[in-house]
C-alpha cells in the first residue's frame, strides 16, 4: 500500500509532520522479526529486561526539550504542561518495571503430597498497541513497557495526529540497546491495522480510543481468539456532597473538566451538586473557569490550548447550542476569550446549568471544554444520575466522610472510583472500564494478566515398587 499520513497542527492549521505508510511487505517482515526476537527475549530474566526498559525511560526523558514543543504543535497542549506528560510517563513506566518481578512470579497453591503444582505467567507473544493522540506518551506507556517487561515483543501504531510520538519511542528503545526486532513503530492505515488483527498476526491488542474504534477492533478480531484490551470513551461524573470543601472541590473539578481542553477520556463532563451547595459551587466554579488563558499552546502564558481540530470544536459547540436551545443557562461569555472563534479549534471553556439527561451534553461524550452541572437532593439521586450513562470509566465523590464515599462508590458502575480526586491514573491501581468504556485492564499487577497467559504445571512424583 502506498500513501502518506499527515499531522495537521491545531496551532495554525498547517502541515506539521508527514510520514509514508509502511508497505505491506514491511509489515510482514516486522511481524517475523518480532516473533524471532521474542523467542529469545522471553528467556531473559525480568531483571535483565528491566535494565533495557529503564534505559529507554531515561532516553525518553532526555528528549524532553524536543518532545514538549512537538506535543504543542501536534495536538495543541500548552508547553507549560508538556513536562507533566513526561512526568506521568516516567511514573507509570518506573512503577510497572518495579513491580514486574513480583507480578510475574509463579502462583503456587497449597502443598499437596506427591505433587509439585504451580501456575506460570507466560508472555502472550506479540502485543499490538494502538495509541491515541490526547495523552500520547501516557496511553502508550500503559502497555508498551509492561508488555516488554512480561517478555513480549511490541508493535506500536500511533495516531496520525501524534506521528512523532511513535518515532520517539523507537529512538528511546534504540538508545537503550533493546534487542533488534523486539519493538517496531509502524505508520499504518486503518485498513492495514484491521488486516493485522483479522489475519491473526498478533496475540494481544491494546487499544485506547473511541467506542466506534473499539467496536471495529472487536469485529476484526472475531474468530481469532486473541486478547483485547479496549480503553474507550467516558462521560465521567462528579458528585459534590453537602459536606464538601467548596474551594478545594471547585478548584480540582475545574482542572478535571478543562485540562487538555477537556480532551480526556476520564475528564469531568458532568457534575451533580447537593442542593444546599449548588449556587455557591457554581459561582466558584465559573469564576475559576473565567481565569483560563486561551491562546497559542507555544505561549508560556497559555493555560487552555486549541482543541485537536475544528471539527472536534464544532461538535462541542453544537452540544452547547442544543442545550441552550432546550433551556440550559450558559454561564461563560465567550467574548471574554478573544481567540475563541467559530470555524477554528480555539474554544473557550463553558459551564451549563439548567441541564438534564434529555440533553446530549449530559449523555454523549463531549471530549471538549464544557461541563454541565445539576442540583440533586441526596446521595440516592446523585447515584442514580451517575449511573444513568452508557459509560463507566471513572467517577468521583467530594466529601469529608470516607465511609459515605465507600458506600457511594460501591453503588456506582465505574472502573475507578475517587474521593476528592479526579482525572488521574494511579499506576498501582487497575485502569479499567465498564459498559461502553471498554474491557480489559492496564497498569498495576492486574495489568500484567492482560499481557500474559497462565500455564499450569501439574507434576506427580512416580511411585516406586
Amino acid at each position: 500500500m502506498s500513501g502518506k499520513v499527515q499531522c495537521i497542527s491545531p496551532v495554525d492549521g498547517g502541515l506539521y509532520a508527514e510520514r509514508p505508510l509502511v508497505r505491506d511487505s514491511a509489515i510482514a517482515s516486522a511481524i517475523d522479526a518480532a516473533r524471532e526476537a521474542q523467542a529469545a527475549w522471553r528467556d531473559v530474566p525480568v531483571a535483565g529486561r528491566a535494565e533495557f526498559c529503564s534505559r529507554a525511560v531515561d532516553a525518553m526523558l532526555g528528549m524532553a526539550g524536543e518532545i514538549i514543543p512537538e506535543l504543542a504543535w501536534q495536538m495543541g497542549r500548552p508547553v507549560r504542561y508538556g513536562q507533566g506528560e513526561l512526568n506521568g510517563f516516567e511514573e507509570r513506566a518506573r512503577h510497572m518495571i518495579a513491580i514486574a518481578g513480583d507480578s510475574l512470579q509463579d502462583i503456587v497453591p497449597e502443598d499437596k503430597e506427591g505433587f509439585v503444582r504451580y501456575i506460570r505467567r507466560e508472555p502472550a507473544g506479540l502485543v499490538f498497541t494502538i495509541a491515541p493522540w490526547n495523552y500520547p506518551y501516557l496511553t502508550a506507556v500503559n502497555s508498551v513497557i509492561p508488555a516488554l517487561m512480561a517478555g513480549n515483543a511490541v508493535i506500536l501504531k500511533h495516531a496520525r495526529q501524534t506521528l512523532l510520538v511513535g518515532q520517539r519511542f523507537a529512538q528511546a528503545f534504540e538508545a537503550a540497546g533493546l534487542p533488534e526486532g523486539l519493538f517496531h513503530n509502524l505508520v499504518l492505515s486503518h485498513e492495514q491495522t484491521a488486516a493485522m488483527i483479522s489475519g491473526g498476526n498478533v496475540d494481544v491488542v491494546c487499544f485506547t480510543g473511541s467506542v466506534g474504534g473499539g467496536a471495529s477492533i472487536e469485529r476484526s478480531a472475531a474468530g481469532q481468539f486473541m486478547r483485547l484490551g479496549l480503553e474507550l470513551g467516558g462521560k465521567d461524573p462528579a458528585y459534590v456532597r453537602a459536606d464538601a470543601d467548596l474551594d478545594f472541590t471547585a478548584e480540582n473539578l475545574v482542572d478535571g473538566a478543562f485540562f487538555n481542553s477537556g480532551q480526556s477520556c476520564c475528564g469531568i463532563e458532568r457534575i451533580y451538586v447537593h442542593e444546599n451547595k449548588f449556587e455557591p459551587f457554581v459561582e466558584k466554579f465559573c469564576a475559576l473557569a473565567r481565569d483560563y488563558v486561551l491562546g497559542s499552546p507555544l505561549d508560556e502564558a497559555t493555560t487552555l490550548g486549541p482543541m485537536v481540530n475544528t471539527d472536534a470544536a464544532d461538535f462541542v459547540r453544537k452540544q452547547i447550542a442544543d442545550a441552550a436551545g432546550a433551556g440550559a443557562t450558559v454561564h461563560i461569555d465567550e467574548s471574554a476569550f478573544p481567540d475563541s472563534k467559530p470555524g477554528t479549534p480555539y474554544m473557550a471553556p463553558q459551564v451549563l446549568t439548567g441541564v438534564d439527561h434529555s440533553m446530549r451534553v449530559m449523555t454523549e461524550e463531549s471530549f471538549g471544554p464544557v461541563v454541565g452541572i445539576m442540583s440533586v437532593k441526596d446521595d440516592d439521586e446523585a447515584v442514580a444520575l451517575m449511573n444513568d450513562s452508557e459509560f463507566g470509566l471513572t467517577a468521583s465523590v467530594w466529601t469529608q466522610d470516607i465511609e459515605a464515599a465507600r458506600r457511594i462508590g460501591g453503588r456506582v458502575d465505574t472502573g475507578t472510583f475517587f474521593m476528592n480526586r479526579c482525572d488521574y491514573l494511579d499506576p498501582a491501581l487497575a485502569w479499567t472500564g465498564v459498559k461502553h468504556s471498554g474491557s480489559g485492564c492496564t497498569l498495576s499487577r492486574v495489568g500484567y494478566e492482560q499481557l500474559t497467559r497462565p500455564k499450569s504445571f501439574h507434576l506427580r512424583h512416580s511411585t516406586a515398587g
Side-chain angles (χ1 to χ4, degrees), residues 39 69 71 94 107 111 123 140 149 167 192-193 205 208 217 245-246 308 317 348 361 405 407 428 430 436:
L71 276 176
R94 303 278 194 215
I107 301 170
D111 287 342
M149 286 301 304
Q167 188 172 298
Q192 289 174 314
T193 300
V205 178
T208 304
I217 286 172
D245 179 328
L246 287 194
V308 69
R317 291 185 177 109
V361 76
R407 290 194 302 272
H436 283 189

Side-chain angles (χ1 to χ4, degrees), residues 121-188:
R121 298 194 184 281
E122 296 203 330
L126 179 51
V127 175
F128 187 22
T129 293
I130 305 172
W133 53 265
N134 60 323
Y135 286 92
Y137 289 92
L138 289 177
T139 52
V141 78
N142 287 354
S143 58
V144 170
I145 289 291
L148 290 167
M149 286 301 304
N152 299 291
V154 175
I155 291 177
L156 172 64
K157 185 266 181 193
H158 224 296
R160 67 172 56 232
Q161 196 65 43
T162 40
L163 274 175
L164 302 186
V165 175
Q167 188 172 298
R168 291 295 181 188
F169 269 92
Q171 291 171 342
F173 285 122
E174 182 178 4
L178 190 73
E180 188 175 351
L182 268 181
F183 176 85
H184 299 266
N185 169 51
L186 300 182
V187 179
L188 302 168

Side-chain angles (χ1 to χ4, degrees), residues 50 60 86 120 180-181 204 264 285 321 408 451:
M60 189 75 84
L86 289 176
R120 177 153 295 165
E180 188 175 351
V204 180
S264 173
F285 192 96
I408 293 167
L451 302 166

